[in-house]
Amino acid sequence: MSLRTRLALSFAAIATLVAALMGVLGYTATKNQLEREVDQSLLSQRFRPDRDGDGDGPQGADAGVLLSATGTVLRTEGSVQLPVTDADRAAAASQVSVVDARTQNVNGTPYRIVTASPGGAQGAVMLGRDWSESASVLRNLALILTVSAAALALLAAIAGWALAARITRRLTRLTDTAEQVSATGQLDVEVPGVGNDEVGRLASAFNAMLGRLARSQEQQQRLVQDAGHELRTPLTSLRTNISLLERFEELSPEVRSRVLADLRGESRELSGLVNEVLALAGGGPDEEELAPVRLADLAEAIAVRARRRTGREVTVTADDSVVQGRRQGLERAVWNLVDNAAKFDPSGAPIEVRVQRNTIEVLDRGPGVPADEAGQIFDRFYRPVASRSLPGSGLGLSIVKDVAQAHGGRAYVQPREGGGSVFGIALPA
């Protein structure tokens, strides 16, 4: 069953329930009011014997019965004989005043009968009036209420169907768009139905999701294309060296050593490139939970590792900055900066790591970054002209940028006074 049908039926059911409840309440109130008026009218009459035979009997009533304390019928008046029940006899013998009213058929005609006793076992008076007209009014009222309830339910179903069609129209378009995306894989589609209500918010969220997926897909495709382009160089070199190794016995010891050294270097570069591509494509930084990170401790840990691996002197100057971050991602970013400084700074001067006001900076005495290349230095696979002959994949700084942005910060580079560069990551407090 479709959502539109369920909404229409729900509207009809609610309208029917409300109409039925109102009808029952209205019918009951009308019936009680008629009975009360007739009962009051009968109780206000006097029972008077019809001695002159003119048929006036109980005034205002169609029939009357006078009962003794024992329940014996002392006198009857009117056009019909009212039936005496045990309840009437009990009222006649009652020590307290009793007023009892009921509707009962007498010879096929409905009568409203009131039995009244003053108490003290003084007997009782029964007065009756033809109820046919009132019963007819009540039947007509019940019919009118039933027809009205049915009409209201029908109108509610029609209105519910129209309203449901209006509500579900945007949901249907949204569903069609989702099915189109699922069937074709196209993410550059516009989702209709944007607005401020729930359906509009859903469409806006779906649009945002598709936009993010499209950007992610574009980034992944660009990463694959760039990685494929960068992988060709070391792979070509590996194939060339492998071809040379096929004539290993013919090569001189010097050539053999050079070929093996090339193979080791290319394999290391290839391994580094693959690891960095995986780091970029895997979304590692977002998988780690946020936690307080003391930047001084992180910088010192990186410095210890860099001293051990590169043999370079690394100094750390730090304040007490603490950020909410993912430690592994921040370590990877800072390590890339320190490793780049060691790789591209041939001076042998100490590498400086400086932490201040939630910012980590790595200072080197390398060739520096030209001003016209500073805006591209953090792009994937981009390498400055001066360092293209040096080993590297061109992905390290793009990882730094991604980590900084994932933490709500930014990566930057600026010239260092006296030569070299200052690479930094600025993070929010």
Side-chain angles (χ1 to χ4, degrees), residues 243-326:
S243 299
L244 286 174
L245 286 177
E246 291 177 350
R247 298 183 293 111
F248 190 77
E249 299 296 334
E250 303 174 12
L251 301 178
S252 65
E254 181 182 353
V255 174
R256 293 178 187 176
S257 298
R258 188 169 64 249
V259 170
L260 291 175
D262 286 346
L263 285 173
R264 283 192 293 268
E266 294 294 344
S267 63
R268 283 195 300 270
E269 184 174 350
L270 189 59
S271 297
L273 176 60
V274 170
N275 290 334
E276 291 181 335
V277 168
L278 291 176
L280 285 172
D286 291 336
E287 296 174 359
E288 187 183 352
E289 293 293 332
L290 287 170
V293 178
R294 189 170 182 269
L295 297 182
D297 295 341
L298 184 145
E300 189 58 45
I302 296 297
V304 171
R305 188 196 312 173
R307 295 186 195 110
R308 184 175 64 251
R309 293 189 181 182
T310 66
R312 296 284 293 272
E313 178 62 26
V314 180
T315 64
V316 176
T317 305
D319 60 13
D320 293 329
S321 297
V322 176
V323 299
Q324 283 290 114
R326 302 174 177 89

Side-chain angles (χ1 to χ4, degrees), residues 174-405:
L174 184 59
T175 302
D176 293 340
T177 303
E179 290 176 347
Q180 177 187 352
V181 171
S182 177
T184 63
Q186 295 179 349
L187 300 177
D188 55 342
V189 295
E190 184 70 20
V191 179
V194 176
N196 295 324
D197 58 2
E198 287 78 2
V199 178
R201 289 169 54 196
L202 176 61
S204 299
F206 198 75
N207 261 331
M209 180 186 69
L210 286 180
R212 184 168 181 177
L213 286 174
R215 289 191 298 272
S216 176
Q217 185 183 63
E218 181 183 356
Q219 291 171 357
Q220 293 295 334
Q221 289 175 348
R222 188 169 66 249
L223 175 62
V224 170
Q225 292 170 357
D226 292 344
H229 175 74
E230 293 296 323
L231 284 170
R232 290 191 184 98
T233 300
L235 287 175
T236 300
S237 179
L238 284 173
R239 282 196 299 268
T240 301
N241 287 323
I242 289 172
S243 299
L244 286 174
L245 286 177
E246 291 177 350
R247 298 183 293 111
F248 190 77
E249 299 296 334
E250 303 174 12
L251 301 178
S252 65
E254 181 182 353
V255 174
R256 293 178 187 176
S257 298
R258 188 169 64 249
V259 170
L260 291 175
D262 286 346
L263 285 173
R264 283 192 293 268
E266 294 294 344
S267 63
R268 283 195 300 270
E269 184 174 350
L270 189 59
S271 297
L273 176 60
V274 170
N275 290 334
E276 291 181 335
V277 168
L278 291 176
L280 285 172
D286 291 336
E287 296 174 359
E288 187 183 352
E289 293 293 332
L290 287 170
V293 178
R294 189 170 182 269
L295 297 182
D297 295 341
L298 184 145
E300 189 58 45
I302 296 297
V304 171
R305 188 196 312 173
R307 295 186 195 110
R308 184 175 64 251
R309 293 189 181 182
T310 66
R312 296 284 293 272
E313 178 62 26
V314 180
T315 64
V316 176
T317 305
D319 60 13
D320 293 329
S321 297
V322 176
V323 299
Q324 283 290 114
R326 302 174 177 89
R327 186 178 181 89
Q328 291 181 6
L330 291 173
E331 283 185 352
R332 182 186 300 125
V334 177
W335 168 255
N336 284 349
L337 294 181
V338 174
D339 187 50
N340 275 2
K343 187 184 302 180
F344 299 117
D345 178 3
S347 68
I351 299 170
E352 299 179 30
V353 180
R354 187 166 57 199
V355 176
Q356 56 183 2
R357 295 189 296 275
N358 307 314
T359 299
I360 304 177
E361 292 182 334
V362 176
L363 298 79
D364 63 46
R365 291 298 182 184
V369 179
D372 58 345
E373 296 184 11
Q376 303 169 278
I377 193 70
F378 291 99
D379 292 344
R380 292 176 180 177
F381 298 106
Y382 181 81
R383 303 181 67 189
V385 175
S387 61
R388 288 178 184 174
S389 60
L390 298 174
S393 65
L395 289 174
L397 291 180
S398 66
I399 293 177
V400 174
K401 177 183 176 182
D402 286 352
V403 171
Q405 290 180 343

Side-chain angles (χ1 to χ4, degrees), residues 16 19-20 23-24 139-153:
T16 301
V24 170
R139 283 194 300 272
N140 291 335
L141 177 61
L143 179 61
I144 292 172
L145 292 175
T146 301
V147 173
S148 298
L152 181 60

